[in-house]
């Protein structure tokens, strides 16, 4: 992988959406790119901050770990995609974005523990993966999660994640967000 820079990171991400976005989102009614674009769309529709829209857009980018030069033949589907995604974004995006990416699976385990209705509304695939991910959080895990600096934003992005599974819903494509992503990167790197 060539070294990513402030000037190439957004194109790098766009390229992943273009080449890999059609891939199936395991067990769901939408492709990977449709899923992430729908999440971003719902965040934008609620006038969220650009960091939150960016986080919703990129939350599953770690599914494409092979794009980051870390692929091994031992990879399995649940190879901590959230950690891989946060790592590649960390050099360019503020911590609120990387935290939302890193903890989006934890947020699901958190919400399952604190909100019974949340569990009832999960998709079948998401219920299945919940077991692999450790099930609902314990009380101690809930307490620790709530202490995370960006806990509220992390939960909010998780909710957009869960909503972004609507078969056939047409939303703006990646290009719609390019300028916004670059602004988030530039603002972060300027600090
Ligand atoms: Fe997702």
């Amino acid at each position: 992988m060539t070294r990513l820079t402030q000037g190439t990171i957004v194109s790098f991400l766009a390229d992943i959406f273009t080449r890999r976005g059609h891939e199936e989102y395991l067990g769901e009614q939408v492709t990977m790119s449709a899923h992430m674009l729908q999440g971003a769309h719902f965040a934008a529709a609620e006038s969220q901050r650009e960091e939150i829209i960016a986080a919703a857009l990129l939350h599953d980018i770690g599914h494409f770990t092979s794009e980051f030069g870390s692929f091994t033949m031992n990879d399995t589907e649940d190879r901590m995609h959230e950690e891989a995604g946060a790592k590649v974004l960390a050099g360019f995006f503020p911590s609120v974005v990387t935290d939302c990416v890193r903890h989006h699976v934890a947020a699901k385990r958190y919400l399952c523990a604190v909100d019974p209705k949340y569990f009832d509304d999960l998709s079948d695939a998401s219920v299945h993966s919940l077991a692999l991910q450790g099930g609902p959080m314990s009380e101690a895990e809930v307490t620790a999660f709530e202490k995370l600096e960006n806990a509220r934003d992390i939960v909010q992005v998780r909710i957009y994640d869960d909503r972004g599974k609507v078969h056939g819903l047409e939303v703006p494509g990646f290009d719609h967000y390019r300028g916004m992503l670059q602004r988030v990167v530039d603002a972060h790197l300027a600090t």
Side-chain angles (χ1 to χ4, degrees):
M1 186 176 82
T2 50
R3 215 172 82 78
L4 293 170
T5 67
Q6 181 174 2
T8 61
I9 179 70
V10 175
S11 294
F12 169 79
L13 295 169
D15 184 56
I16 294 177
F17 269 74
T18 304
R19 287 185 300 103
R20 308 286 306 275
H22 64 277
E23 289 176 21
E24 186 188 357
Y25 184 29
L26 227 60
E28 302 287 2
Q29 299 288 317
V30 288
T31 63
M32 284 302 303
S33 62
H35 167 60
M36 295 198 282
L37 290 164
Q38 286 184 11
H41 167 74
F42 289 126
E46 293 186 352
S47 303
Q48 288 287 348
R49 317 195 307 281
E50 293 195 329
E51 290 97 331
I52 302 305
I53 301 170
L57 180 65
L58 302 174
H59 77 273
D60 272 332
I61 201 76
H63 273 295
F64 306 114
T65 44
S66 57
E67 302 286 339
F68 310 145
S70 62
F71 177 80
T72 78
M73 288 309 285
N74 297 322
D75 278 5
T76 56
E77 185 53 36
D78 215 58
R79 188 166 170 261
M80 295 304 202
H81 74 274
E82 62 273 22
E83 190 57 44
K87 255 190 199 157
V88 78
L89 298 177
F92 303 98
F93 289 87
S95 61
V96 61
V97 174
T98 51
D99 280 358
C100 288
V101 174
R102 177 173 288 118
H103 298 293
H104 77 270
V105 172
K108 171 175 139 185
R109 297 184 54 232
Y110 169 76
L111 283 164
C112 285
V114 301
D115 183 357
K117 177 154 176 5
Y118 175 82
F119 177 82
D120 292 341
D121 290 345
L122 279 181
S123 66
D124 292 346
S126 207
V127 169
H128 174 75
S129 60
L130 175 67
L132 300 173
Q133 291 156 347
M137 280 186 171
S138 67
E139 219 169 296
E141 288 174 314
V142 164
T143 304
F145 181 87
E146 287 173 347
K147 286 191 183 132
L148 291 173
E149 193 190 341
N150 295 305
R152 288 175 67 101
D153 289 329
I154 294 165
V155 167
Q156 189 58 59
V157 167
R158 177 71 218 188
I159 289 165
Y160 296 131
D161 178 359
D162 293 316
R163 286 176 65 188
K165 300 178 178 180
V166 186
H167 180 63
L169 176 66
E170 296 261 0
V171 296
F174 188 90
D175 281 350
H176 180 76
Y177 299 102
R178 283 187 83 119
M180 180 208 76
L181 286 175
Q182 193 66 55
R183 271 197 301 283
V184 173
V185 169
D186 292 348
H188 174 61
L189 294 180
T191 57

